Amino acid sequence: MHLLRTEERSLDEAAPAVDLGQTPADLVALSFSDSDLACLASAARDIAPATLRLANLASLRHPYSIDLHVERVCANARGVLVRALGGKDYWPYGVDELARLARERDIALAIVPGDDFADPRLDAASTLPPEDLRAIWRLFRAGGPGPIGEALRLLGRRAGLDLDAAAQTEAPRAGAFAPARRDAPPGAPHALVTFYRAQALSDDAAPVVALAEALRARGLSVETFFVASLREPEAVALLRAEIARRRPDVVVNATAFSAPLDDGARALDAADAPVLQVAFATSTRAAWAADPRGLGPVDVAMHVAAPEIDGRVFTRAVAFKAPEARDEALEYAPMRLAPEPSRIAFVADLAAAWARLARKPRRERRIALLLPDYPAKGGRLGYAIGLDAPASAAAILARLKAEGYSCGAERDGAALASDLEGGAASALPLADYDASFAALPPGLRGKIGERWGDPADDPHVTEGAFRFRFVDDGAVVIAAAPDRGDPAQRRGQWHDASLPPSHAYVAFHLWLRHVRKVDAIVHCGAHGALEWLPGKAVALDEESATEALLGPVPLIHPFIVNNPGEAAQAKRRACAVIVSHLTPPLVAAGAHGAVAALETALDEYAGALALDPARARRLAGDILAQADAQGVAADCGVTADMGEREALARLDSFVCDVKETRVADGLHVFGASPGAAARARLVAGMAPEARG
């Protein structure tokens, strides 16, 4: 595990106190969902002359904000409706205050769950009878302005207002979304897009339409479907039928969370195609642009961490919340999803690249197989704990050749390593580099130039061209990536997320994309530093170096199961598909006792940084205290006057160094059982009568 510094938060994690500036009204409706509020706003004209106030619960998180709104608005209402996503635990103080107020002022109060899970505590806080609460809950679940408007009218009737009931027709739980269907000529690659039903019913699907248009512009046909959930039978049946009918080359999914079915399968599994996950962020574009993390804890949990469980490939945040003009009658400014054109373009490019890769004959696919050097460790080409990287690369090449890829003569790992160590070959003239470099984002170009100067002075330049170590093997190129920084300081710079990449590192990746024109990249061994370059931690922008260098190129990364931290960064920053493998059995291990405990604690801390920052702060204190008590802090140079951030980074580096001292029973070759060699040696040492 390594700690990505851009994921750290400030000390002030509390939501700000705000005054919504609303005046009293007959009815008040609160929800975390902008889709709910949009439907309620549509229904407002049907309850006239009764007045209505709307507010998003995300604006009422601070206790002072809740007290102010309850005192000025809710206390003077005849009915209050709350839809609490996640139950009481997501808004406990507000639920308790409204429950107290409703009984003091005889207010009709209905608090219902925002999901499909009952919460008896919400029933207990409400003043409406259970049958009314269930009816309101069902109407919200039905969705759309009609049913949600009827939920509001039902509350109004219980509050003594003269509001008639209206007949309602429930929209299907899943269905085709015609505005985002795009046809292409016969034989064109096909994309399947899925998103939430609530966005379709509340007319908040502009990003979906923009995404479909971008995919069509890249030559794909597009079918788009809305679903209430990827777990509901109606949605599962519809999607499986569509997948069987059209066999999509790529799936783009905008629903959140993980969605396993009872049998462990997922609705989109049948596509047998990459499922690219996009985020419709709950933050504004300005907040995303200013945040080095990219997304806040809620969005990371919903749109990144949970979907990873289903094997989805996280890509980018393609839409952000944007306020519309304030509705003075409701004293509420609706928030709607605004497409982010550059992020939609990147996702469409990536989807098109995966689709092209699927359609291209294997013998024509251009693949780059990279074996990055490990920092400050000579002769450790593609190093990874327990992995024989050159032998694994040779095994991958043999497999590619057996399956129809255009590869040269088979070679073993030693021969492959020898070829790569044999010297650098001229690859990219400086003039070509300058032209490609000029197309990079200006902010990134400025940082690279400021740190590394003139590219002609780079040590990888000889006779006017960059030279790289690579083996041209037909349609496959096997290469060792150059250092991302100064070779003399590579150990300290390898995980420095503020250090811009060197000209040689930039030139290498531009060469792969624009000269070799690779269709896909396979990283074999240690990570290639792409996921540690400057830029956002997740939901990257154009200025993020990882995106600027890698571009929309499919990345497959055979990874080590005992190093989930680096795998997470590869997935979230480089859109990598991770193929995990086991290390061989350990006959002796350097990471044990205090160091093993610290490794576990650091893993927990790294995971909490994005999802639960308050817990991360507590863990940081516990880790430093534990390291000090056990003497590990002194071993790695942590002192009492050192800042928390630097101290944790030193501990993390120390633990990683200790892990490298693990002694495994041989090295694992990718694709082979890690215990096979050990079992062979065990059998060889047995008496003949004991074998078998």
Side-chain angles (χ1 to χ4, degrees):
M1 173 63 73
H2 297 284
L3 309 179
L4 186 60
R5 297 175 187 174
T6 53
E7 287 191 347
E8 295 184 10
R9 290 182 63 95
S10 66
L11 293 176
D12 182 15
E13 295 289 344
V18 296
D19 179 2
L20 298 182
Q22 292 184 337
T23 58
D26 296 314
L27 299 175
V28 177
L30 311 172
S31 174
F32 280 113
S33 167
D34 288 313
S35 298
D36 286 352
L37 297 171
C39 292
L40 287 162
S42 297
R45 59 181 175 271
D46 295 330
I47 65 169
T51 54
L52 174 66
R53 297 290 175 264
L54 300 177
N56 194 304
L57 289 172
S59 301
L60 299 173
R61 301 302 297 268
H62 194 286
Y64 178 76
S65 303
I66 296 172
D67 288 341
L68 198 61
H69 195 266
V70 166
E71 176 185 342
R72 291 185 178 178
V73 183
C74 298
N76 299 291
R78 299 174 67 174
V80 177
L81 171 60
V82 180
R83 191 167 188 242
L85 178 66
K88 182 179 179 180
D89 292 330
Y90 279 66
W91 203 54
Y93 181 70
V95 170
D96 289 340
E97 285 300 292
L98 284 177
R100 176 190 58 78
L101 177 74
R103 285 156 179 80
E104 289 179 358
R105 302 290 185 93
D106 193 25
I107 296 171
L109 174 63
I111 309 180
V112 299
D115 47 35
D116 293 337
F117 302 98
D119 189 340
R121 297 171 299 174
L122 300 184
D123 290 355
S126 303
T127 60
L128 265 62
E131 57 271 21
D132 286 344
L133 296 174
R134 298 297 171 271
I136 291 173
W137 191 11
R138 286 193 298 271
L139 288 164
F140 269 99
R141 189 175 183 277
I148 290 177
E150 175 54 25
L152 184 65
R153 286 190 289 272
L154 173 56
L155 173 72
R157 292 194 294 274
R158 297 299 180 262
L161 298 173
D162 185 16
L163 300 175
D164 293 332
Q168 302 301 328
T169 301
E170 182 175 349
R173 302 291 292 171
F177 186 66
R181 175 180 176 173
R182 296 292 183 273
D183 293 323
H190 180 60
L192 172 66
V193 178
T194 50
F195 73 109
Y196 275 127
R197 170 180 181 265
Q199 290 152 357
L201 295 182
S202 60
D203 193 24
D204 196 16
V208 181
V209 176
L211 183 59
E213 191 63 34
L215 291 167
R216 177 62 189 88
R218 287 153 180 81
L220 282 73
S221 66
V222 185
E223 287 281 0
T224 304
F225 294 86
F226 63 81
V227 297
S229 166
L230 287 174
R231 300 184 65 177
E232 290 193 358
E234 189 173 345
V236 173
L238 178 68
L239 292 175
R240 285 180 171 171
E242 171 63 16
I243 288 169
R245 183 176 71 89
R246 293 295 302 270
R247 290 295 174 190
D249 297 275
V250 65
V251 178
V252 181
N253 178 64
T255 69
F257 305 107
S258 175
L261 305 176
D262 291 341
D263 60 0
R266 273 77 174 170
L268 300 174
D269 285 353
D272 193 25
V275 180
L276 306 184
Q277 178 75 17
V278 298
F280 293 166
T282 60
S283 61
T284 64
R285 188 194 186 283
W288 165 75
D291 191 345
R293 294 166 304 156
L295 294 176
V298 172
D299 279 329
V300 170
M302 291 193 308
H303 297 291
V304 184
E308 285 175 349
I309 298 172
D310 291 357
R312 303 179 211 161
V313 180
F314 182 74
T315 57
R316 299 292 184 260
V318 298
F320 300 92
K321 293 291 187 179
E324 295 190 332
R326 180 180 169 92
D327 186 324
E328 294 302 335
L330 302 174
E331 297 183 0
Y332 165 71
M335 298 286 285
R336 301 182 74 79
L337 288 168
E340 182 60 24
S342 74
R343 305 298 77 205
I344 286 177
F346 176 85
V347 172
D349 285 340
L350 184 62
W354 275 107
R356 285 195 302 271
L357 183 64
R359 292 291 184 99
K360 199 170 189 178
R362 291 181 178 181
R363 65 182 179 279
E364 298 176 12
R365 294 177 185 173
R366 300 180 64 82
I367 309 296
L369 177 58
L370 304 188
L371 286 84
D373 264 344
Y374 195 72
K377 301 288 185 182
R380 290 180 126 177
L381 184 68
Y383 172 77
I385 299 170
L387 179 73
D388 188 332
S392 295
I396 291 171
L397 286 170
R399 177 69 178 269
L400 289 174
K401 185 172 184 178
E403 296 196 6
Y405 287 77
S406 177
C407 303
E410 292 188 19
R411 52 173 68 84
D412 62 20
L416 182 60
S418 177
D419 289 344
L420 287 174
E421 297 289 358
S426 179
L428 186 65
L430 272 172
D432 294 345
Y433 172 70
D434 290 340
S436 296
F437 184 78
L440 294 178
L444 178 60
R445 294 201 312 269
K447 293 175 182 176
I448 294 171
E450 181 181 355
R451 176 62 179 82
W452 300 109
D454 190 336
D457 296 331
D458 190 284
H460 290 78
V461 173
T462 302
E463 298 179 351
F466 283 95
R467 299 176 66 85
F468 307 125
R469 291 179 293 156
F470 66 93
V471 175
D472 195 334
D473 200 39
V476 178
V477 60
I478 308 102
D483 292 306
R484 59 163 294 193
D486 183 350
Q489 305 177 46
R490 58 197 313 213
R491 179 67 181 179
Q493 295 177 347
W494 197 257
H495 296 120
D496 183 354
S498 65
L499 178 72
S502 68
H503 284 293
Y505 192 83
V506 173
F508 176 77
H509 287 88
L510 294 179
W511 170 69
L512 288 179
R513 288 175 59 192
H514 302 307
V515 178
R516 294 294 307 190
K517 299 184 184 301
V518 297
D519 297 306
I521 295 174
V522 178
H523 269 289
C524 185
H527 60 72
L530 275 167
E531 61 270 30
W532 298 97
L533 297 179
K536 296 184 182 299
V538 70
L540 275 58
D541 58 10
E542 292 175 288
E543 290 282 349
S544 296
T546 300
E547 175 175 319
L549 300 193
L550 180 63
V553 176
L555 176 64
I556 298 93
H557 205 329
F559 227 98
I560 314 156
V561 296
N562 69 346
N563 210 342
E566 289 184 1
Q569 298 309 326
K571 288 188 289 186
R572 296 174 185 182
R573 305 190 88 214
C575 309
V577 174
I578 302 300
V579 183
S580 296
H581 63 86
L582 295 169
T583 56
L586 296 176
V587 296
H592 60 87
V595 173
L598 279 174
E599 180 184 2
T600 299
L602 284 165
D603 283 351
E604 293 180 5
Y605 170 75
L609 275 172
L611 301 180
D612 192 350
R615 179 169 173 265
R617 290 199 301 274
R618 294 193 298 271
L619 285 170
D622 293 343
I623 289 169
L624 294 176
Q626 178 183 347
D628 183 61
Q630 295 173 341
V632 178
D635 290 341
C636 59
V638 172
T639 59
D641 60 345
M642 189 175 290
E644 181 181 279
R645 173 174 166 174
E646 182 180 356
L648 287 171
R650 288 206 180 191
L651 283 171
D652 177 60
S653 180
F654 177 78
V655 169
C656 290
D657 286 342
V658 171
K659 285 170 60 178
E660 292 173 22
T661 66
R662 294 181 176 183
V663 181
D665 188 4
L667 293 176
H668 173 38
V669 175
F670 189 79
S673 170
R679 287 194 297 273
R681 284 191 293 275
L682 177 64
V683 171
M686 291 179 178
E689 61 273 13
R691 296 178 185 175

